[in-house]
Amino acid sequence: KPFLLFLTTPSSFSIIIGVVAFVLWIYLVPEDPSQSNLFDLQIHSSPLWLAMFWLVFRVIGAAIIVPIAEEFTFRGYIQPHLQAWLAQKGMKSFSVILSLLLTSLLFGYVHSDILAGSVAGLLFGLAYLQRKSVMDAVVAHAVTNALLAAYVLMNGYWSYW
């Protein structure tokens, strides 16, 4: 029953946040041509079936599994528990903003680029706060990662992965 509380219809705001996070990620993280070329050589030297298998599971992981796992961790657990802890420690008026900022920084820390990751974490945190729905954060994150996957596949900018 507690899990069913997370299964809500996402807002269109969360989709917009996902698109904005994608655009900002591309703007903040420059593509690394040498890393992309190295990966391109590796994937083209692999058997076709193996390369396709890897790409399919990479896209599924990036667009579905990672957003669920990360958002349930960061927005479903850390952010609300940190907010409650801060409120309990006498910082009720700052607890929402401070928990959002700290969770966003932590989110950035576990990603390849701390600035882009923190900005994305901030946006996903705002998606969560709009309706207190983890599903909104999951959808925003999934949209960002799906757009990033499409961008990588269309342009061969493998350094984003």
Side-chain angles (χ1 to χ4, degrees):
K1 253 185 171 176
F3 181 72
L4 293 177
L5 294 173
F6 293 108
L7 298 177
T8 60
T9 303
S11 70
S12 50
F13 180 67
S14 62
I15 295 168
I16 294 167
I17 284 184
V19 172
V20 169
F22 162 72
V23 170
L24 288 173
W25 191 280
I26 296 301
Y27 177 75
L28 292 171
V29 181
E31 193 265 334
D32 182 350
S34 62
Q35 189 178 359
S36 290
N37 289 337
L38 177 64
F39 184 83
D40 196 49
L41 287 172
Q42 291 172 338
I43 199 140
H44 282 94
S45 66
S46 300
L48 180 61
W49 70 267
L50 184 60
M52 294 304 290
F53 182 79
W54 185 86
L55 287 172
V56 166
F57 280 96
R58 180 66 172 104
V59 171
I60 291 169
I64 299 170
I65 297 167
V66 168
I68 291 170
E70 288 185 351
E71 294 312 320
F72 271 75
T73 301
F74 285 93
R75 264 47 77 179
Y77 185 80
I78 297 172
Q79 190 170 334
H81 281 82
L82 184 57
Q83 181 182 339
W85 182 80
L86 289 167
Q88 186 181 39
K89 297 296 180 189
M91 294 184 263
K92 186 164 177 53
S93 57
F94 300 107
S95 64
V96 173
I97 292 171
L98 196 52
S99 64
L100 173 64
L101 293 176
L102 291 173
T103 305
S104 299
L105 286 173
L106 182 60
F107 188 83
Y109 180 75
V110 301
H111 284 77
S112 59
D113 186 282
I114 194 165
L115 176 62
S118 296
V119 169
L122 180 70
L123 291 171
F124 301 153
L126 291 172
Y128 162 74
L129 286 174
Q130 180 201 16
R131 298 186 313 164
K132 297 278 193 212
S133 170
V134 175
M135 192 51 95
D136 286 336
V138 169
V139 167
H141 196 155
V143 166
T144 300
N145 286 9
L147 289 172
L148 189 56
Y151 186 75
V152 166
L153 293 172
M154 288 190 311
N155 297 300
Y157 293 160
W158 304 106
S159 66
Y160 286 112
W161 275 355

